[in-house]
């Protein structure tokens, strides 16, 4: 297969998430990094792009310049990753979709539900892929959990418990540091801080694994550091459209917790437990049985797990490889479209604009419910009611 062209907006030198995208996109040799507008400072972006190997005329100073420069090139990029700060995602993603590019947008996809619906409509009208980077859903054993639930290994799912609780904003003395403060300022962060930043990862993972979407929720949101306007901790009760009950805790003041994304699924016949910090082991507890350890890369797992496992059992695979699995899904989706064939169903699992939209509806529902003392609130976007 000829390599697909890949471009990136944001993810400049020193950014948090840029390197994981470059590792992920580059891992399988499916994409070639051809264009970028990597930094909000034009010269820094051009310079860094060239140091990463871009041709000088494709190391752009800003995203509009990149759109103009790429759209009429015969070798234009196939996929554009948007890894800029949240408030810019909508405008950039919409513009690239309308110009006929496939897009992988960082989460949260937009700042409002209306913008989310607009992105879904734009992607559908343009017949382009718009994916959202819920990258943790790329882990091999997360794919395996999904396959186990889908084939009924746990029976009917009763409960799902998801956490994304870390302690990196727990220092009250540092709360006014501008790098931290903006996240809890509604003018810059929107209606939610911690749930919009981390809670949506946990919610997406719960939905992805059990194959159900959240229908309504009740949230207890608090600012443990009192100077904050937006929440730094939330406990959310969920009801899914397939009947499952959900419990979700997200926090940025849980001192001692590092990343803190975990998932537990409980069905009629057994339970599963997985943690992002030890992603190569999955724990299965069959009803009336003993705890079993499922190792990434072992024989006899699902096709979805086999496809996303790269190195031999016993060697750790981590987050950039989970991102690589999202990129591999997207490469397969783009190649299938180009060839006019069906895509491999085991790859058809990348998170979509529809998931990004559902997340935004949940963010607004959490904010609303939190203000109303945990009142049960509709969590579906109007488009999907
Ligand atoms: P960051 O602040 O570390 O880096 C942002 C980068 O974007 C910088 O290089 C900056 O110069 C560049 N930039 C800003 N505005 C730009 C513009 N208009 N055009 C071009 N470049 C621009 O931010 P971080 O933490 O890397 O987050 C970026 C996005 O990724 C956010 O939306 C965040 O929510 C998301 N993220 C996702 C994660 C995941 O697991 N999926 C994890 C961490 C962040």
């Amino acid at each position: 297969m000829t390599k697909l062209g890949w471009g990136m907006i944001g993810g400049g030198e020193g950014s948090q998430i840029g390197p994981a995208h470059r590792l992920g996109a580059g891992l399988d040799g499916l994409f070639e990094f051809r264009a970028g507008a990597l930094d909000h400072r034009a010269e820094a972006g051009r310079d860094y792009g060239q140091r990463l190997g871009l041709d000088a005329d494709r190391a752009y100073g800003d995203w509009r310049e990149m759109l103009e420069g790429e759209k009429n090139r015969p070798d234009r990029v196939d996929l554009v990753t948007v890894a800029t700060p949240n408030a810019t995602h909508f405008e950039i993603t919409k513009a690239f979709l309308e110009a006929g590019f496939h897009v992988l947008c960082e989460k949260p996809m937009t700042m409002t539900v209306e913008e989310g619906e607009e992105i879904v409509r734009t992607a559908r009208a343009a017949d382009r892929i718009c994916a959202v980077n819920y990258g943790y859903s790329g882990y091999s054993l997360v794919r395996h959990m999904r396959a186990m639930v889908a084939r009924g290994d746990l029976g009917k799912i009763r409960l799902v418990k998801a956490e994304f609780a870390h302690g990196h904003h727990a220092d009250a003395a540092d709360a006014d540091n501008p790098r931290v403060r903006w996240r809890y300022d509604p003018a810059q962060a929107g209606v939610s801080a911690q749930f919009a930043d981390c809670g949506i990862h946990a919610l997406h993972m719960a939905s992805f694994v059990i194959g159900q979407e959240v229908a309504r929720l009740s949230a207890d949101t608090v600012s443990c550091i009192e100077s904050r306007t937006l929440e730094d901790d939330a406990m959310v009760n969920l009801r899914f459209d397939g009947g499952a009950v959900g419990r979700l805790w997200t926090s940025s003041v849980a001192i001692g917790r590092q990343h803190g994304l975990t998932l537990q699924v409980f069905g009629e016949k057994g339970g599963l437990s997985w943690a992002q910090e030890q992603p190569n082991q999955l724990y299965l507890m069959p009803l009336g049985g003993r705890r079993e350890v499922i190792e990434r890369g072992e024989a006899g797992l699902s096709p979805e797990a086999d496809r996303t496992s790269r190195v031999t059992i016993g060697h750790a695979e981590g987050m950039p490889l989970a991102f690589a699995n999202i990129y591999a899904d997207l490469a397969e989706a783009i190649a299938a479209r180009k060839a006019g064939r069906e895509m491999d169903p085991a790859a058809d699992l990348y998170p979509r604009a529809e998931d990004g939209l559902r997340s935004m509806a949940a963010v607004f529902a959490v904010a609303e419910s939190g203000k109303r003392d945990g009142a049960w609130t509709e969590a579906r976007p109007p488009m999907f009611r």
Side-chain angles (χ1 to χ4, degrees), residues 200-280:
I200 58 173
H201 273 297
L203 178 57
H204 177 266
M205 180 163 287
S207 302
F208 178 79
V209 166
I210 68 171
Q212 299 182 30
E213 302 297 344
V214 63
R216 55 201 185 93
L217 60 80
S218 155
D220 180 17
T221 55
V222 288
S223 307
C224 291
I225 293 185
E226 287 172 5
S227 61
R228 289 176 176 160
T229 309
L230 297 175
E231 88 289 355
D232 53 22
D233 186 284
M235 182 64 91
V236 187
N237 283 309
L238 308 154
R239 293 291 185 275
F240 288 89
D241 57 5
V245 169
R247 316 284 185 205
L248 188 156
W249 175 44
T250 187
S251 187
S252 65
V253 294
I255 295 171
R257 290 184 58 135
Q258 293 303 330
H259 187 266
L261 175 64
T262 66
L263 189 78
Q264 289 175 280
V265 184
F266 304 101
E268 292 168 327
K269 296 195 288 189
L272 287 172
S273 178
W274 180 85
Q276 202 279 143
E277 291 176 37
Q278 288 87 34
N280 297 286

Side-chain angles (χ1 to χ4, degrees), residues 77-385:
V77 293
D78 295 281
L79 175 71
V80 174
T81 293
V82 179
T84 51
N86 303 354
T88 62
H89 293 173
F90 171 70
E91 187 183 26
I92 302 174
T93 297
K94 188 168 187 299
F96 276 86
L97 288 170
E98 283 172 340
F101 295 90
H102 301 296
V103 175
L104 170 60
C105 180
E106 262 305 343
K107 48 54 64 175
M109 183 175 79
T110 58
M111 297 295 284
T112 67
V113 179
E114 293 72 23
E115 287 173 353
E117 293 198 334
E118 180 68 13
I119 292 293
V120 169
R121 278 193 294 270
T122 304
R124 290 177 182 176
D127 192 23
R128 296 293 87 182
I129 294 167
C130 182
V132 180
N133 191 37
Y134 291 113
Y136 306 114
S137 66
Y139 276 111
S140 181
L141 289 178
V142 173
R143 299 277 169 107
H144 188 61
M145 277 196 278
R146 188 180 195 277
M148 289 179 74
V149 170
R151 72 191 183 200
D153 290 11
L154 303 186
K156 186 175 161 53
I157 301 304
R158 292 170 172 156
L159 272 174
V160 57
K161 175 170 166 276
E163 295 182 353
F164 197 157
H166 65 77
H168 298 296
H169 301 153
D171 184 356
D174 196 41
D176 277 337
N177 175 340
R179 295 197 63 172
V180 177
R181 194 181 53 212
W182 74 266
R183 297 168 177 276
Y184 300 92
D185 173 4
Q188 294 181 74
V191 298
S192 160
Q194 180 58 18
F195 186 81
D197 190 33
C198 294
I200 58 173
H201 273 297
L203 178 57
H204 177 266
M205 180 163 287
S207 302
F208 178 79
V209 166
I210 68 171
Q212 299 182 30
E213 302 297 344
V214 63
R216 55 201 185 93
L217 60 80
S218 155
D220 180 17
T221 55
V222 288
S223 307
C224 291
I225 293 185
E226 287 172 5
S227 61
R228 289 176 176 160
T229 309
L230 297 175
E231 88 289 355
D232 53 22
D233 186 284
M235 182 64 91
V236 187
N237 283 309
L238 308 154
R239 293 291 185 275
F240 288 89
D241 57 5
V245 169
R247 316 284 185 205
L248 188 156
W249 175 44
T250 187
S251 187
S252 65
V253 294
I255 295 171
R257 290 184 58 135
Q258 293 303 330
H259 187 266
L261 175 64
T262 66
L263 189 78
Q264 289 175 280
V265 184
F266 304 101
E268 292 168 327
K269 296 195 288 189
L272 287 172
S273 178
W274 180 85
Q276 202 279 143
E277 291 176 37
Q278 288 87 34
N280 297 286
Q281 286 80 33
L282 169 64
Y283 298 95
L284 168 66
M285 176 69 85
L287 178 68
R290 287 208 173 99
R291 195 164 88 137
E292 297 171 15
V293 185
I294 298 170
E295 292 278 348
R296 181 203 51 75
E298 71 182 37
L301 298 187
S302 54
E304 292 87 341
D306 291 345
R307 185 181 171 280
T308 47
S309 170
R310 315 306 181 83
V311 295
T312 331
I313 186 168
H315 300 291
E317 283 189 9
M319 182 262 236
L321 279 83
F323 280 27
N325 290 329
I326 305 289
Y327 278 97
D329 291 350
L330 290 171
E332 163 63 10
I334 296 168
R337 278 169 174 249
K338 286 190 176 194
R341 61 167 172 81
E342 292 294 310
M343 76 178 286
D344 175 356
D348 196 9
L349 293 173
Y350 60 88
R352 287 149 156 89
E354 285 80 356
D355 299 306
L357 165 60
R358 286 195 177 93
S359 301
M360 279 325 292
V363 164
F364 276 75
V366 163
E368 177 66 20
S369 173
K371 272 192 273 176
R372 295 170 50 225
D373 260 349
W376 282 93
T377 304
E378 169 67 62
R380 295 168 303 173
M383 192 181 254
F384 299 144
R385 283 180 199 163

